[in-house]
Amino acid sequence: MAMLKALVVDDASFVRDLVKRTIRQRFPVFETTDAQNGRRAQSLMSRNRFDLILCDWEMPEMSGIELLQWMRAQPQYASVPFIMITSRGDKDHVVEAVKGGVSEYLGKPFSPEGLSNKIIKVMGSQLRDAMARGGKSMESPVDALRESADLLTRKRESPPEEELPLASPAPDSGSSLLTQAASAAADKATARKPSPSVASVRFAESTLKSVVRDINLTEVRVIAKRDQSFPGILDQAVVDIDVGDGQMARLNGYVHQLQAVDKRQDTDFVSVTIRFVDEDPTKLEDLSRFIARFRAGR
């Protein structure tokens, strides 16, 4: 039986579902409610009492920082824990959140363990007591469904060097051209002068340096060198793209596909497709501007 109430606020339903699923699996004493933006969250908070708020920063209608500032001005929410979950990790935003009264700051993409640790930290004895009364353990409960999902999405280790063929068959002409193009693009990515096709893809435990090969409003396909740390299918991702005028778009998504660039087992490049999940009109506008620049430069 639920003893505590948590409100999850994010414009992306995919992210809301991830947060709620983690809370249900790790802390079953919580009842979770969600809202797609700060304005909707404000309405729910005015009519209900929540013990924990987990909120995105960038959202339409009312941002996370605006919700935080409003919340701290309400006597019933002056001391309720507020965790800001956002792709904005720069110092200025962290300082602004701290000044607004944030309890903890969690960067996207996040791992279930990282989110759980933040919740434990801000809830303290209130959560421990509720779990104890419910006969639950605080030792990271993981159900069979999650274990099955982990088996399906677990990252595969790269084969040892001795298992790679000593001689590789020559790639076909199409693959060879694509490899050459990817190599040239990767060289551009390491150049000091920024290129509009360079993208940094962040995951919970690594960052992938890559170049954009194709992009539309629903997904982006990037090419990256194989010697980096790669994610698993369905892992969360944040794609950082320079949209011009000194502005950086931080687009939330998940890994939809991983594929070798050519047919050789020892290929140097991997193609990664990220499906976007953001529903913020401002982010979609930034993405549209980048797509126009990208296609004009091809």
Side-chain angles (χ1 to χ4, degrees), residues 75-120:
Q76 70 272 31
Y77 283 112
S79 60
V80 169
F82 186 110
I83 300 177
M84 187 76 80
I85 304 176
T86 176
S87 55
R88 288 184 172 273
D90 52 282
K91 181 180 178 181
D92 290 344
H93 283 86
V94 174
V95 170
E96 185 177 357
V98 170
K99 289 181 177 179
V102 75
S103 305
E104 273 294 333
Y105 200 97
L106 179 63
K108 291 180 181 177
F110 56 86
S111 66
E113 291 74 18
L115 175 58
S116 299
N117 289 337
K118 295 290 186 182
I119 293 173
I120 292 172

Side-chain angles (χ1 to χ4, degrees), residues 233-258:
I233 299 297
L234 302 181
D235 277 5
Q236 297 175 73
V238 173
V239 184
D240 294 329
I241 297 179
D242 182 357
V243 295
D245 300 325
Q247 299 296 313
M248 183 70 71
R250 298 172 175 84
L251 302 160
N252 297 292
Y254 65 92
V255 179
H256 176 69
Q257 185 180 60
L258 292 169

Side-chain angles (χ1 to χ4, degrees), residues 20 23 56 77 128 147 289:
K20 289 191 297 181
I23 293 174
D56 186 23
Y77 283 112
R128 287 193 295 272
E147 289 181 339
R289 288 185 4 237

Side-chain angles (χ1 to χ4, degrees), residues 1-4 26-30 51 119-139:
M1 180 178 177
M3 303 175 191
L4 301 172
R26 302 293 177 96
F27 312 111
V29 293
F30 270 107
D51 303 289
I119 293 173
I120 292 172
K121 184 176 180 180
V122 300
M123 295 299 295
S125 60
Q126 185 180 11
L127 176 58
R128 287 193 295 272
D129 292 346
M131 292 284 281
R133 290 197 305 272
K136 304 296 182 180
S137 170
M138 292 286 284
E139 298 296 326

Side-chain angles (χ1 to χ4, degrees), residues 200-228:
S200 177
V201 187
R202 289 183 279 134
F203 304 99
E205 299 177 355
S206 64
T207 298
L208 196 66
K209 299 299 182 182
S210 61
V211 292
V212 178
R213 298 301 296 161
D214 196 16
I215 188 169
N216 56 48
L217 288 174
T218 60
E219 65 183 28
V220 61
R221 183 168 66 90
V222 300
I223 302 294
K225 286 187 176 181
R226 181 187 175 187
D227 58 3
Q228 302 180 75

